[in-house]
Amino acid sequence: MDNSNPIRQLLLIGVGTTSLVAEKLREVSERWVREGKLDPEDARKFVDDLMEQMRDQSNFEAQLERQLRNVMNDFGVARQSELDELRGRLDRLEHQVRDLENRSWK
């Protein structure tokens, strides 16, 4: 696994990661119960079924990675691609400012 990838590092934690996914699923289901979109029994079944599907599927890592990405997105954590794009934009702006400063000195 690529240790420079934060999502992959979280996957190495294993139990903590699974707990995080389960907790988020429970939070979502509890919110749906509060909003009246789901009754409590259906919410419990929803969480249990999803957790069982995650355990049963052979592509558990991909499922977990997708869930983590969603959780991180919900928490407002920027993706690496977004940070790279912002760094590129910042570099271009810094270059433009230097060009403007150089022109003003001539």
Side-chain angles (χ1 to χ4, degrees):
M1 282 192 173
D2 181 8
N3 287 333
S4 65
N5 184 329
I7 292 176
R8 296 227 183 260
Q9 288 176 345
L10 287 173
L11 288 172
L12 292 174
I13 296 172
V15 172
T17 304
T18 303
S19 297
L20 179 64
V21 171
E23 181 180 331
K24 188 63 180 172
L25 285 171
R26 286 186 184 92
E27 287 175 13
V28 168
S29 65
E30 287 172 4
R31 184 176 54 205
W32 288 345
V33 168
R34 282 193 309 272
E35 294 171 356
K37 296 178 181 178
L38 204 58
D39 72 46
E41 183 60 28
D42 288 341
R44 185 192 59 75
K45 186 172 178 354
F46 167 75
V47 171
D48 291 346
D49 288 348
L50 281 176
M51 291 303 294
E52 188 62 33
Q53 285 177 9
M54 286 176 56
R55 282 186 210 104
D56 290 345
Q57 301 219 357
S58 61
N59 60 351
F60 177 75
E61 184 176 321
Q63 293 267 343
L64 192 54
E65 190 170 340
R66 189 176 321 112
Q67 290 294 330
L68 281 171
R69 195 176 303 116
N70 291 339
V71 169
M72 292 174 76
N73 187 45
D74 289 347
F75 288 146
V77 177
R79 293 188 312 258
Q80 185 64 46
S81 61
E82 293 170 326
L83 293 175
D84 293 342
E85 180 183 340
L86 288 173
R87 283 186 187 111
R89 290 175 66 190
L90 182 59
D91 288 345
R92 288 189 296 278
L93 287 171
E94 287 174 339
H95 182 72
Q96 289 173 350
V97 167
R98 277 194 301 275
D99 285 348
L100 290 171
E101 287 174 342
N102 289 338
R103 288 182 195 162
S104 70
W105 285 102
K106 290 182 180 182

